[in-house]
Structure formats: structure tokens, C-alpha cells
Amino acid sequence: QVQLVESGGGLVQAGGSLRLSCAASGGTFSIYTMGWFRQAPGKEREFVSAISWSVGSTSYSDPVKGRFTISRDNAKKTVYLQMKSLKPEDTAVYYCAADPFGVGTPRPTEYDYWGRGTQVTVSS
């Protein structure tokens, strides 16, 4: 079983940048496809990005494509989400999740392990 801890959230002005990190412990990190999701108040949890366990292929939701970059460091057991050109609508709690041998699905129900989230607030 893997435990996930997100960090790097905070308050930033529109147009600014943040880098989120998700550190894993336990389990074998390299077999997990890692995903980032977010949930704004009153809204459902939505897919942001994923990076596969095998060849590191990446996928992004349309609202963040071209602005966010996901990466992973298997040696450090950490996945990152670099966020640029942030907009107020990016405000949410950001969660990382792990799916063993996953295909990078955007469906949150396919991910077995979740962190507790980190708050990102973008002011206008």
C-alpha cells in the first residue's frame, strides 16, 4: 500500500506559477500511474493530468493543456505538477492519486490511493 502526501499549494496571483509535489511512501512507486485531480467548492472532483508507470506518457484535461506539466522522479518517489499562467478558475484542492499498472484514465474511481490534497488559490 502506498501513502501519498501533496505539498506546494498556496496563494498566487493570476498569471503566476506553482509547482505541486506528491511524495509517495510504501509500495513500489514505479508501478503506479500517477494522476492529479482537483476539486473546487461545490463541484465534483475533476481530472487534471496523469503520467503512466511504464513509458511516462502524459495526458491533460483541456482546461490545463499547455499550461500545466506533469513529471515524475521514480528515484525520489515523487510526482510533480508544474502550473503556469494560473487563472482564478484553477482554484481548488489538488489531489494526487496512484493507480497500479494504470493506463492514465481520467476516472477518479480507477485510482486506488489518494493523498489528502493541497489548496491552490489563484487571486484575480
Side-chain angles (χ1 to χ4, degrees):
Q1 187 169 353
V2 64
Q3 292 80 43
L4 305 172
V5 179
E6 303 94 337
S7 61
L11 173 63
V12 64
Q13 289 187 333
S17 300
L18 282 174
R19 189 177 81 154
L20 305 184
S21 300
C22 173
S25 61
T28 303
F29 183 74
S30 59
I31 71 167
Y32 293 99
T33 284
M34 300 300 296
W36 283 99
F37 292 79
R38 66 187 183 185
Q39 188 166 18
K43 294 188 177 181
E44 294 187 352
R45 191 167 297 190
E46 67 170 351
F47 172 77
V48 174
S49 182
I51 185 166
S52 72
W53 69 276
S54 52
V55 297
S57 58
T58 59
S59 59
Y60 299 91
S61 65
D62 286 343
V64 309
K65 200 171 294 181
R67 300 188 297 122
F68 292 9
T69 303
I70 191 171
S71 61
R72 66 188 296 159
D73 185 333
N74 286 345
K76 295 183 178 180
K77 296 186 176 181
T78 302
V79 62
Y80 304 97
L81 186 68
Q82 178 68 53
M83 306 186 295
K84 298 181 180 181
S85 302
L86 283 162
K87 305 175 181 179
E89 51 263 44
D90 294 318
T91 295
V93 177
Y94 283 71
Y95 300 89
C96 71
D99 179 13
F101 303 110
V103 297
T105 173
R107 295 188 297 272
T109 54
E110 297 296 315
Y111 290 78
D112 292 343
Y113 305 103
W114 291 83
R116 293 188 174 183
T118 185
Q119 176 71 47
V120 171
T121 302
V122 184
S123 63
S124 57

mmCIF file of all heavy atoms in Angstrom, residues 79-98:
data_model
loop_
_atom_site.group_PDB
_atom_site.id
_atom_site.type_symbol
_atom_site.label_atom_id
_atom_site.label_comp_id
_atom_site.label_asym_id
_atom_site.label_seq_id
_atom_site.Cartn_x
_atom_site.Cartn_y
_atom_site.Cartn_z
ATOM 1 N N VAL A 79 5.926 12.719 -7.739
ATOM 2 C CA VAL A 79 5.339 13.228 -8.970
ATOM 3 C C VAL A 79 5.103 14.723 -8.789
ATOM 4 O O VAL A 79 4.789 15.182 -7.688
ATOM 5 C CB VAL A 79 4.042 12.480 -9.328
ATOM 6 C CG1 VAL A 79 2.978 12.664 -8.261
ATOM 7 C CG2 VAL A 79 3.529 12.896 -10.689
ATOM 8 N N TYR A 80 5.283 15.462 -9.871
ATOM 9 C CA TYR A 80 5.186 16.908 -9.816
ATOM 10 C C TYR A 80 4.096 17.408 -10.770
ATOM 11 O O TYR A 80 3.789 16.763 -11.774
ATOM 12 C CB TYR A 80 6.518 17.546 -10.222
ATOM 13 C CG TYR A 80 7.692 17.092 -9.406
ATOM 14 C CD1 TYR A 80 8.526 16.065 -9.861
ATOM 15 C CD2 TYR A 80 7.979 17.660 -8.171
ATOM 16 C CE1 TYR A 80 9.613 15.638 -9.121
ATOM 17 C CE2 TYR A 80 9.067 17.243 -7.421
ATOM 18 C CZ TYR A 80 9.879 16.227 -7.900
ATOM 19 O OH TYR A 80 10.952 15.804 -7.158
ATOM 20 N N LEU A 81 3.568 18.563 -10.441
ATOM 21 C CA LEU A 81 2.669 19.246 -11.349
ATOM 22 C C LEU A 81 3.116 20.707 -11.406
ATOM 23 O O LEU A 81 2.903 21.462 -10.444
ATOM 24 C CB LEU A 81 1.217 19.145 -10.906
ATOM 25 C CG LEU A 81 0.204 19.722 -11.888
ATOM 26 C CD1 LEU A 81 0.152 18.861 -13.163
ATOM 27 C CD2 LEU A 81 -1.181 19.825 -11.259
ATOM 28 N N GLN A 82 3.762 21.074 -12.502
ATOM 29 C CA GLN A 82 4.164 22.459 -12.713
ATOM 30 C C GLN A 82 2.991 23.194 -13.333
ATOM 31 O O GLN A 82 2.508 22.799 -14.399
ATOM 32 C CB GLN A 82 5.381 22.525 -13.633
ATOM 33 C CG GLN A 82 5.842 23.941 -13.942
ATOM 34 C CD GLN A 82 6.421 24.643 -12.730
ATOM 35 O OE1 GLN A 82 7.319 24.131 -12.067
ATOM 36 N NE2 GLN A 82 5.901 25.828 -12.425
ATOM 37 N N MET A 83 2.575 24.259 -12.665
ATOM 38 C CA MET A 83 1.411 25.014 -13.120
ATOM 39 C C MET A 83 1.839 26.438 -13.461
ATOM 40 O O MET A 83 2.402 27.129 -12.609
ATOM 41 C CB MET A 83 0.333 25.034 -12.039
ATOM 42 C CG MET A 83 -0.058 23.642 -11.560
ATOM 43 S SD MET A 83 -1.439 23.645 -10.400
ATOM 44 C CE MET A 83 -0.705 24.512 -9.023
ATOM 45 N N LYS A 84 1.549 26.862 -14.676
ATOM 46 C CA LYS A 84 1.903 28.205 -15.127
ATOM 47 C C LYS A 84 0.653 28.917 -15.626
ATOM 48 O O LYS A 84 -0.365 28.284 -15.899
ATOM 49 C CB LYS A 84 2.951 28.109 -16.239
ATOM 50 C CG LYS A 84 4.256 27.483 -15.818
ATOM 51 C CD LYS A 84 5.249 27.437 -16.966
ATOM 52 C CE LYS A 84 6.572 26.811 -16.526
ATOM 53 N NZ LYS A 84 7.571 26.765 -17.630
ATOM 54 N N SER A 85 0.775 30.230 -15.775
ATOM 55 C CA SER A 85 -0.345 31.039 -16.276
ATOM 56 C C SER A 85 -1.627 30.718 -15.533
ATOM 57 O O SER A 85 -2.678 30.491 -16.138
ATOM 58 C CB SER A 85 -0.523 30.813 -17.786
ATOM 59 O OG SER A 85 0.646 31.131 -18.488
ATOM 60 N N LEU A 86 -1.528 30.673 -14.226
ATOM 61 C CA LEU A 86 -2.670 30.272 -13.406
ATOM 62 C C LEU A 86 -3.816 31.260 -13.533
ATOM 63 O O LEU A 86 -3.608 32.471 -13.676
ATOM 64 C CB LEU A 86 -2.241 30.110 -11.957
ATOM 65 C CG LEU A 86 -1.478 28.811 -11.688
ATOM 66 C CD1 LEU A 86 -0.711 28.902 -10.374
ATOM 67 C CD2 LEU A 86 -2.419 27.624 -11.668
ATOM 68 N N LYS A 87 -5.017 30.718 -13.458
ATOM 69 C CA LYS A 87 -6.241 31.503 -13.576
ATOM 70 C C LYS A 87 -7.066 31.320 -12.311
ATOM 71 O O LYS A 87 -6.944 30.292 -11.625
ATOM 72 C CB LYS A 87 -7.048 31.018 -14.776
ATOM 73 C CG LYS A 87 -6.288 31.025 -16.088
ATOM 74 C CD LYS A 87 -7.129 30.411 -17.196
ATOM 75 C CE LYS A 87 -6.378 30.385 -18.516
ATOM 76 N NZ LYS A 87 -7.193 29.762 -19.596
ATOM 77 N N PRO A 88 -7.935 32.263 -11.989
ATOM 78 C CA PRO A 88 -8.793 32.095 -10.809
ATOM 79 C C PRO A 88 -9.593 30.797 -10.848
ATOM 80 O O PRO A 88 -9.831 30.190 -9.795
ATOM 81 C CB PRO A 88 -9.708 33.325 -10.870
ATOM 82 C CG PRO A 88 -8.880 34.365 -11.552
ATOM 83 C CD PRO A 88 -8.073 33.608 -12.578
ATOM 84 N N GLU A 89 -9.972 30.349 -12.025
ATOM 85 C CA GLU A 89 -10.739 29.105 -12.132
ATOM 86 C C GLU A 89 -9.906 27.855 -11.842
ATOM 87 O O GLU A 89 -10.453 26.749 -11.771
ATOM 88 C CB GLU A 89 -11.399 28.986 -13.509
ATOM 89 C CG GLU A 89 -10.474 29.197 -14.679
ATOM 90 C CD GLU A 89 -10.536 30.626 -15.217
ATOM 91 O OE1 GLU A 89 -10.533 31.573 -14.404
ATOM 92 O OE2 GLU A 89 -10.546 30.783 -16.465
ATOM 93 N N ASP A 90 -8.597 28.014 -11.658
ATOM 94 C CA ASP A 90 -7.765 26.897 -11.233
ATOM 95 C C ASP A 90 -7.818 26.698 -9.719
ATOM 96 O O ASP A 90 -7.252 25.729 -9.208
ATOM 97 C CB ASP A 90 -6.307 27.122 -11.641
ATOM 98 C CG ASP A 90 -6.108 27.121 -13.148
ATOM 99 O OD1 ASP A 90 -6.720 26.267 -13.828
ATOM 100 O OD2 ASP A 90 -5.342 27.966 -13.645
ATOM 101 N N THR A 91 -8.463 27.607 -9.011
ATOM 102 C CA THR A 91 -8.580 27.495 -7.564
ATOM 103 C C THR A 91 -9.316 26.214 -7.182
ATOM 104 O O THR A 91 -10.430 25.966 -7.653
ATOM 105 C CB THR A 91 -9.315 28.714 -6.992
ATOM 106 O OG1 THR A 91 -8.512 29.888 -7.221
ATOM 107 C CG2 THR A 91 -9.561 28.556 -5.506
ATOM 108 N N ALA A 92 -8.675 25.416 -6.347
ATOM 109 C CA ALA A 92 -9.240 24.125 -5.948
ATOM 110 C C ALA A 92 -8.292 23.465 -4.960
ATOM 111 O O ALA A 92 -7.149 23.913 -4.775
ATOM 112 C CB ALA A 92 -9.443 23.219 -7.164
ATOM 113 N N VAL A 93 -8.764 22.382 -4.372
ATOM 114 C CA VAL A 93 -7.874 21.472 -3.657
ATOM 115 C C VAL A 93 -7.358 20.470 -4.688
ATOM 116 O O VAL A 93 -8.153 19.876 -5.428
ATOM 117 C CB VAL A 93 -8.590 20.754 -2.519
ATOM 118 C CG1 VAL A 93 -7.644 19.750 -1.848
ATOM 119 C CG2 VAL A 93 -9.118 21.756 -1.498
ATOM 120 N N TYR A 94 -6.050 20.327 -4.735
ATOM 121 C CA TYR A 94 -5.413 19.428 -5.700
ATOM 122 C C TYR A 94 -4.983 18.143 -4.995
ATOM 123 O O TYR A 94 -4.331 18.193 -3.950
ATOM 124 C CB TYR A 94 -4.217 20.114 -6.353
ATOM 125 C CG TYR A 94 -4.626 21.113 -7.405
ATOM 126 C CD1 TYR A 94 -5.228 22.311 -7.054
ATOM 127 C CD2 TYR A 94 -4.427 20.847 -8.756
ATOM 128 C CE1 TYR A 94 -5.631 23.229 -8.023
ATOM 129 C CE2 TYR A 94 -4.811 21.747 -9.733
ATOM 130 C CZ TYR A 94 -5.424 22.936 -9.354
ATOM 131 O OH TYR A 94 -5.825 23.838 -10.315
ATOM 132 N N TYR A 95 -5.363 17.033 -5.587
ATOM 133 C CA TYR A 95 -5.063 15.716 -5.029
ATOM 134 C C TYR A 95 -4.192 14.930 -6.003
ATOM 135 O O TYR A 95 -4.411 14.990 -7.222
ATOM 136 C CB TYR A 95 -6.345 14.918 -4.807
ATOM 137 C CG TYR A 95 -7.333 15.543 -3.860
ATOM 138 C CD1 TYR A 95 -8.303 16.420 -4.327
ATOM 139 C CD2 TYR A 95 -7.317 15.227 -2.504
ATOM 140 C CE1 TYR A 95 -9.227 16.985 -3.455
ATOM 141 C CE2 TYR A 95 -8.238 15.786 -1.629
ATOM 142 C CZ TYR A 95 -9.180 16.668 -2.111
ATOM 143 O OH TYR A 95 -10.094 17.213 -1.248
ATOM 144 N N CYS A 96 -3.266 14.167 -5.463
ATOM 145 C CA CYS A 96 -2.604 13.188 -6.313
ATOM 146 C C CYS A 96 -3.158 11.810 -5.979
ATOM 147 O O CYS A 96 -3.680 11.577 -4.884
ATOM 148 C CB CYS A 96 -1.089 13.221 -6.184
ATOM 149 S SG CYS A 96 -0.415 12.594 -4.642
ATOM 150 N N ALA A 97 -3.059 10.940 -6.944
ATOM 151 C CA ALA A 97 -3.621 9.609 -6.808
ATOM 152 C C ALA A 97 -2.756 8.606 -7.553
ATOM 153 O O ALA A 97 -2.046 8.968 -8.500
ATOM 154 C CB ALA A 97 -5.044 9.591 -7.362
ATOM 155 N N ALA A 98 -2.823 7.350 -7.115
ATOM 156 C CA ALA A 98 -1.998 6.297 -7.695
ATOM 157 C C ALA A 98 -2.861 5.141 -8.161
ATOM 158 O O ALA A 98 -3.785 4.718 -7.464
ATOM 159 C CB ALA A 98 -0.976 5.806 -6.673
#
